[in-house]
Amino acid sequence: MRVLVIEDEKRVANFARRSLVEAGYAVDCVYDGEEGLDFAQAASYDVIILDLMLPKLDGLSLLKNLRNRGLTTPVLALTAKGTIHDRVTGLNAGCDDYLVKPFAVAELIARVRSLLRRGTSQLTKLQIGDLILDAATHCVTRAGKPIDLTPKEFALLEYLIRNMGQVLTKTMIEQHVWNFDFDSGTNLVEVHMSHLRNKIDRGFHPPLIQTLRSVGYVLNEQSAVPR
Ligand code: CA
């Protein structure tokens, strides 16, 4: 899952970035409204965290602009002003939730999770065959056996399982699981996919991750069908 943080206060932006990265999200941070608008349109973010008081373009104008362009990405607004009036104005402008600064790590992560659930599925427990991923506790089991994944492998599996049965290209995976800081010329996706496959498929039946040569990957129970 990939998150865009638009916040000009570096201290707050860095705090949000660190908290989200530790929770397993890919994060990009930008520091003014214009850059925020560019980034929000350039990549497929799963959640946008938007400070309302921003240089160059304020948060509410940025938000209206995005919604007018048909972008439905859930937006969590950050504001120093927690008054009812501001909340109503913001909700009318199309933001999905509010967080009043200063906020705690746990609160930020909980709000982001809740927006992700709203955007995709209400379920925190996702299952394919005998593989279960619990997005709330970050636990993965297969056939009842706990599987230890790195945060990146977990993010990769969560993206696959939320889109099970659909072919996901390397670019789609990069866009949702990594941020802009990585070099897309590398074989990062292949390497992480191979580690993930060793952990969730090796020693189990049927294999769940299917590779479609030069197309992408699909998580599919039917990859089990004998050929
Ligand atoms: Ca600000």
Side-chain angles (χ1 to χ4, degrees), residues 195-207:
H195 291 161
L196 179 63
R197 179 176 268 151
N198 276 338
K199 290 183 181 178
I200 69 162
D201 276 346
R202 181 178 281 182
F204 295 102
H205 189 79

Side-chain angles (χ1 to χ4, degrees), residues 18-19 65 71 92 97 116 131 140 216:
R18 202 169 55 240
S19 314
N65 199 316
L71 208 111
N92 286 341
D97 201 0
L116 284 171
L131 177 86
V140 174

Side-chain angles (χ1 to χ4, degrees), residues 121-167:
S121 150
Q122 296 298 314
L123 298 170
T124 55
K125 269 197 177 169
L126 303 164
Q127 180 162 10
I128 177 167
D130 56 1
L131 177 86
I132 298 169
L133 176 147
D134 189 327
T137 61
H138 269 222
C139 289
V140 174
T141 58
R142 179 139 194 211
K145 210 179 132 192
I147 294 175
D148 191 24
L149 299 180
T150 65
K152 264 305 173 232
E153 289 160 1
F154 183 90
L156 188 54
L157 180 61
E158 185 176 3
Y159 181 57
L160 287 171
I161 204 166
R162 285 192 187 276
N163 295 281
M164 65 174 94
Q166 293 176 45
V167 177

Side-chain angles (χ1 to χ4, degrees), residues 4-9 29-42 45 48-66 69:
L4 175 63
V5 176
I6 310 173
E7 162 66 273
D8 60 313
E9 282 172 72
C29 283
V30 294
Y31 309 102
D32 69 62
E34 283 177 4
E35 221 186 351
L37 188 59
D38 288 346
F39 269 66
Q41 295 175 98
Y45 291 100
I48 295 172
I49 296 177
L50 176 67
D51 183 35
L52 294 182
M53 305 274 277
L54 288 168
K56 295 190 183 173
L57 180 66
D58 73 272
L60 286 181
S61 307
L62 191 161
L63 186 57
K64 272 182 198 150
N65 199 316
L66 285 179
R69 287 162 197 257

Side-chain angles (χ1 to χ4, degrees), residues 51-53 58 60 77-89 98-102:
D51 183 35
L52 294 182
M53 305 274 277
D58 73 272
L60 286 181
L78 298 182
T79 177
K81 306 173 291 179
T83 69
I84 297 294
H85 174 73
D86 289 328
R87 284 174 191 240
V88 171
T89 310
Y98 257 92
L99 198 51
V100 176
K101 294 194 276 189

